[in-house]
Amino acid sequence: MITRFAPSPTGPLHLGHAFSALTADALARKAGGRFLLRIEDIDTARSTPAFETQIYDDLRWLGLSWPEPVLRQSDRRPAYDAALASLEAMGVTYRCICTRGDIRAALAAPQEGAPLIGPDGPVYPGTCRDAGHDHSGAAIRLNMARAVAITGAVGFTEIGPLHSGRHDFAPDWLCTHVGDVVLARRDIGTSYHLAVCVDDAAQDVTLVTRGADLFEATAIHAVLQKLLGLPVPDYHHHRLIRDEQGKRLAKRDASRAIALYRAEGATPDDIRRMVGLDS
């Protein structure tokens, strides 16, 4: 078994990150496998060396270790470009010049009705699908209808306690409930969805451990994995760590930062207890 923890260096690690990393490490240890660290810094405008260094410090303080060198997504652009070129050659992509405002306006049209909500928010209405744009600075979307005509139904196996079992997705459902997701943002030239599939395959990850908020996105990843001929790992989507109001922790929750707890004298066992793990 190979698991991984893949944070973005755009802010301090918080209790939710600690729970995810410790869970992935424990699963690997139990199976006699390996735990990997990956730095997901494709958003170079928001990623900083200081936050990356803090990630290493916090994780080592928690007692975690990993093989070196660490894979950093900012070094992986050629691999993402190659994957995108393969998808373009299949005819399953198109260029999109819509702004968020354009999409909101299209979805708000009276004849459209209430928009369906997919893994990335409201399902894209397909405004640019047949427009034939060739703008080099446009975003690139997956033409889901063409994609599933190639893949047919896709699926994955979930071993986490929240959604345990086999999950399969029919072509019609993928078109309606997921739609034409962005594969390459115009500012960074790729997307989380494309990069994570390419990197998990490159690192031979066999079990993706991450928060339950990403469970629905796994349908997208299953489509991309099948299109690109990549292995499909098993998944373990774990519970989210929330604040007293039940809100999911985010990078802006500095009061829950591991570094702050460390500065206040907490121990790694204290962090484990805070997130509901045995010390």
Side-chain angles (χ1 to χ4, degrees), residues 9-48:
T10 56
L13 296 186
H14 54 61
L15 291 177
H17 293 115
F19 179 69
S20 191
L22 291 167
T23 298
D25 181 69
L27 289 167
R29 287 178 180 273
K30 183 177 181 180
R34 288 191 295 149
F35 167 81
L36 305 179
L37 175 64
R38 179 164 77 226
I39 299 297
E40 297 198 339
D41 58 347
I42 52 174
D43 191 345
T44 55
R46 297 175 58 229
S47 300
T48 70

Side-chain angles (χ1 to χ4, degrees), residues 196-279:
V196 75
C197 291
V198 171
D199 290 341
D200 283 338
Q203 293 189 287
D204 297 320
V205 172
T206 63
L207 178 64
V208 173
T209 308
R210 60 191 183 192
D213 54 324
L214 287 168
F215 176 77
E216 292 185 355
T218 313
I220 302 170
H221 303 164
V223 172
L224 293 177
Q225 287 156 351
K226 194 164 185 178
L227 283 171
L228 293 168
L230 303 176
V232 180
D234 290 338
Y235 289 83
H236 179 113
H237 291 91
H238 56 69
R239 62 183 172 87
L240 302 177
I241 303 299
R242 301 181 181 275
D243 62 17
E244 290 81 357
Q245 287 72 46
K247 188 176 180 180
R248 177 176 66 89
L249 297 186
K251 290 285 179 66
R252 62 181 174 272
D253 296 300
S255 63
R256 315 292 170 149
I258 298 171
L260 180 59
Y261 287 114
R262 292 175 60 185
E264 293 175 345
T267 68
D269 282 346
D270 291 331
I271 299 298
R272 289 176 177 273
R273 284 191 288 270
M274 287 178 193
V275 298
L277 296 173
D278 293 334
S279 59

